[in-house]
Amino acid sequence: MGKVTPINARYDAGFYSDYNPTPPASQSADAEINAAGNNLRNWARYLAKNSAIVKAVLDARVAKGVGEGLRYEPMVRNRKGELLTDLNDKIRKIHADWSERVDVTGELSRKEVEALVWRDWDTVGEVFARRVYRGRDRNRIGYQVQLIKSEMVPYGSFVGDDIRMGIERNDWGEPVRYWVTPYAQTSYLWNWVPPKQEWEAIPAADVCHLRRQEELDATRGVTLFHAVIFRASDIAEYQQSHRRAARATANLFASINRDIGYDKSPETPEQQGVNQAELNLDELQMIDYLREGESVNFHSPQHPNQNAVDFVNQELRQMAAACRVAFSWIAYVFDRAYAAQRTELVHAWEMIAQDQTKFIQDFAKECLYEEPLRMAILEGRLPARLMRQADPDTLYDVRIEAPVMPSIDPLTDRKAAELDQNMGWESRHGNIRRFGREPAQVDAEREQDDFEPAGVQQNLPLEAAPDDGDATDE
């Protein structure tokens, strides 16, 4: 009996095999982004403009992420912990006025800025926003936002030893300054010779860098589509090929076949000038010039493939999973059971909710609420009498609401909201926001409305409310 050689435990994936070659050696995130960043960004922008699938993903994510715009509800309290309704109403009014013209050009509203920033964040993986203080004006708050495209902070631009891809950091890796060009290197703002690039060092305290970071040591963000760029391009090419084949199928075309018994005698006067290899069937005609041994063969290409729809849908499912959206949002296929649709919706909305949280924390709250409010306080736009009542620690407290998951069964969702309110798990204003309404607007409308739903004043628990007369007396 031969010697038994024990097999040592190991990670099989860590060793080469004939079927699984060793993958390329990984580099630091910055090294990989610096080498591939421009191509990834160019691919993403190209597909966003020319791929229906990528455009559908972006449209769906913007609609689900910010929708018609985030809702900002000030939550300033006094030192007793009570909400200051008058002060919160004043802050809401000032913020709404400022939201009409948010960017430095004066052309974009806050809702438009939110949608554009989210879209560029998904497309190229990052957006820079500069806080600009333009001085006090009677008609507006002296604070606006300058949106900076990723191209204006170029990859591979090393102005100094501590500057990595346009971002200067200290010894701890904290951003100190952002080195920005006045225009992108691919911009065509000149006639013949591009002007000299004048770098501008912007302090990090004035810049908000919203980026999609997927590795620990990544200085810059990467596009949402980095893992599916080729898949999206291949699907577009595949669909284009089938469209072309379908056009060919719709056109009747044929060829003349010649067998062994083909008659090689000289052409008759009727056959002279006729190309025997091609038939023009654009118009109805009679083919009466065939020789002996010739026959007409009509062609009917077998395209599009009968399995094309299933193939494309399977590819779209993989792409939707990688792009953090639901398959039905981009394919508009709603022919599945309720349980399947509900599961897909809940799972996809968890991804949207994560991105909403990052978008609000890293960009919206800081640049679109706290800074304009701070400037409004410095400019004295809030009544001093109300400000003296406020707890300074709560001046910037705000509840920011993004679009919520839509209802598949509205009645069930409203019963759940009623239970949350009656059990003290949610406020009435919170439930109003859950269904996409503004609490202040609802309260103002109800003051002029004579209708009062049954059970509101009593605030009965859900299980104690009468149910169509079926409840029995104890």
Side-chain angles (χ1 to χ4, degrees), residues 356-382:
Q356 286 174 340
T357 300
K358 180 174 179 59
F359 183 83
I360 291 173
Q361 290 180 349
D362 292 357
F363 173 71
K365 183 179 180 181
E366 184 177 352
C367 289
L368 303 182
Y369 181 79
E370 291 183 347
E371 283 300 317
L373 176 57
R374 186 175 73 88
M375 186 57 60
I377 294 175
L378 292 177
E379 294 179 358
R381 296 180 182 270
L382 295 175

Side-chain angles (χ1 to χ4, degrees), residues 249-271:
T249 303
N251 296 324
L252 178 63
F253 66 99
S255 63
I256 295 178
N257 297 338
R258 295 170 177 173
D259 57 20
I260 298 177
Y262 165 62
D263 182 9
K264 298 183 180 180
S265 61
E267 297 178 346
T268 62
E270 293 80 7
Q271 295 172 334

